[in-house]
Amino acid sequence: MRARTPRGLALRLLLEVERGGRAQLLLDRALSRLDWPERDRAYVTHLVYGALRHLRLLDFHLKPWLPRPEGLPPEVRWALRLGAWEWLSGKPDHARVSPWVEEVKGIYPGLAGLVNAVLRRLIPQEAPECVRLSLPDWLCQAWRAFFGDLAFAQGFNAPAPLFVTALRPVEGLRPGPLPHSYLWEGPKADFSALGLQPQNPASLFAAQLLQARPGERVLDLCGGAGLKAFYLAAQGAEVVSYDLNAKRQEAGRRTARKLGLSVAYRTQDLRNPLSERAAKVLLDAPCTGTGTFRGHPELRYRLKAEDPARMAALQLRLLETAAKATEPGGVLVYAVCSLTEEEGEGVARAFLQRHPEFRPEPFACPLPVLKEGLGVYVAPEGGLDGFYYLRLRRVDSKA
Ligand SMILES: C[S@@+](CC[C@H](N)C(=O)[O-])C[C@H]1O[C@@H](n2cnc3c(N)ncnc32)[C@H](O)[C@@H]1O
């Protein structure tokens, strides 16, 4: 059914997220088909991201009036959560209660009275820290143990600015925290036509850490569609991008053509060795994505406590392939958009124990540092994603 109001559309999208969809993709797709004014589009985004980023806290505030929310139809549960999100973000009663009563009247008329009563009774209450941050308990425990406290996690629940990487010189954009990174402050545009690529600066930094020179050969492992490859190719490097996912690579090929950049794509499972080597190798490994909760707020409720160890084991295996593909004297960068001990430092320790021919190479990090060890964890502050980077130098001379 077509939604006629921003609230109706937000409700429909959240039901799709609950069935396993990804908020960002669903929102982009739905909004691209509508000619609604910018204000309404922005409100749908505010509702969908807000409800997901604060889900545990919203359920906490609804709990006194709804001891068994699972007994309600999902449409009504989400309408209540969205109404509670508008309350939490400061909308006055007269502007937020009756619109939700009307939405619910259209689908479950018998429950409109309940929605009215619950949304009018919400009162401020002190929530435990992990509930306030709307994070799973297992992750709060792991983060407190590893990072000391959870203050950094507040960054995940703030609205995200849109950063773009300029792949050719641009004018008139506000600079971001890294060279070539800018803020995009208007409505979404045909970015490739402008020589721009939406990309978080924390992701761009993984590519910058390679310090690839013009004409230098670079292997971009787990390159996906090639976001990092585009930046490297724009610097004049000769980039070969490997990934398992041919569909993603096809999308990358199309974007590279639009950007006028040359990237060679090769499809391969990187648990198997490569048949080529290079002096610069980037492994942007598949991970839990615990650093990307701002842009992918639903992810935090889907992850399980055993996922970091499972992903770390895969990363270690992919790092073996990357190590063999690094020429003596060359640089290998291992990066993940995750903030867990297992991925990151855990992988770094296990890898270095087995590979004395590699040494961690210190680097200056221009982004806010959350924790340093063999590598660096970047804090998800100011719209940045959380990331881990390890820069390794191969120090043996074996051919
Ligand atoms: C973090 S994403 C990469 C994002 C990409 N580097 C970018 O900047 O856009 C991880 C990628 O690893 C790929 N991947 C997962 N397992 C793999 C495997 N065994 N071999 C090769 N690629 C794999 C996924 O398809 C995904 O594209």
Side-chain angles (χ1 to χ4, degrees), residues 22-25 27 49 52-53 155-160 200 289 291-300 383-385:
R22 292 173 61 181
Q24 197 175 60
L25 284 179
L27 256 171
Y49 276 107
L52 291 170
R53 287 183 185 135
F156 289 132
N157 294 342
N200 196 274
T292 67
F293 284 166
R294 185 187 302 99
H296 303 288
E298 69 282 2
L299 194 56
R300 59 184 93 180
L384 295 177
D385 282 340

Side-chain angles (χ1 to χ4, degrees), residues 212-226:
R213 289 186 296 269
E216 198 168 36
R217 200 170 158 71
V218 172
L219 301 182
D220 171 37
L221 306 186
C222 294

Side-chain angles (χ1 to χ4, degrees), residues 222-224 227-228 243-245 248 268-271 284-286:
C222 294
L227 248 62
K228 297 176 181 72
D243 201 281
L244 189 60
N245 188 327
R248 242 177 237 179
Q268 184 179 318
D269 185 334
L270 292 166
R271 286 173 296 184
D284 184 25

Side-chain angles (χ1 to χ4, degrees), residues 74-146:
E75 290 84 347
V76 178
R77 236 184 316 124
W78 281 107
L80 285 163
R81 285 164 163 171
L82 283 161
W85 166 232
E86 286 187 309
W87 165 75
L88 201 63
S89 41
K91 218 174 182 59
D93 279 13
H94 68 268
R96 70 179 175 85
V97 178
S98 57
W100 287 113
V101 172
E102 290 309 309
E103 291 288 343
V104 170
K105 242 186 216 162
I107 19 180
Y108 289 99
L111 291 172
L114 172 91
V115 170
N116 183 48
V118 171
L119 291 184
R120 281 185 196 286
R121 282 190 191 139
L122 298 172
I123 41 163
Q125 302 169 75
E126 196 53 41
E129 187 180 33
C130 195
V131 173
R132 190 163 42 75
L133 292 166
S134 287
L135 292 167
D137 290 329
W138 65 266
L139 193 54
C140 288
Q141 276 162 25
W143 276 351
R144 277 195 199 102
F146 187 54

Side-chain angles (χ1 to χ4, degrees), residues 208-335:
Q208 293 188 339
L209 256 182
L210 271 187
Q211 294 175 342
R213 289 186 296 269
E216 198 168 36
R217 200 170 158 71
V218 172
L219 301 182
D220 171 37
L221 306 186
C222 294
L227 248 62
K228 297 176 181 72
F230 300 152
Y231 169 79
L232 294 162
Q235 301 313 300
E238 193 190 305
V239 189
V240 188
S241 186
Y242 281 87
D243 201 281
L244 189 60
N245 188 327
K247 223 168 122 186
R248 242 177 237 179
Q249 291 187 307
E250 194 40 52
R253 252 185 220 106
R254 281 197 299 273
T255 313
R257 259 197 302 274
K258 282 180 80 179
L259 289 164
L261 294 171
S262 166
V263 174
Y265 285 93
R266 295 190 187 143
T267 311
Q268 184 179 318
D269 185 334
L270 292 166
R271 286 173 296 184
N272 304 318
L274 284 173
S275 54
E276 63 175 320
R277 294 199 307 184
K280 297 277 167 78
V281 177
L282 171 63
L283 174 66
D284 184 25
C287 63
T288 55
T290 34
T292 67
F293 284 166
R294 185 187 302 99
H296 303 288
E298 69 282 2
L299 194 56
R300 59 184 93 180
Y301 313 110
R302 294 185 182 163
L303 287 172
K304 298 191 182 64
E306 56 273 23
D307 288 338
R310 192 173 55 78
M311 294 313 287
L314 173 61
Q315 289 163 21
L316 199 52
R317 196 152 163 203
L318 298 171
L319 201 48
E320 288 293 334
T321 303
K324 287 195 186 82
T326 308
E327 287 168 1
V331 170
L332 166 57
V333 169
Y334 153 70

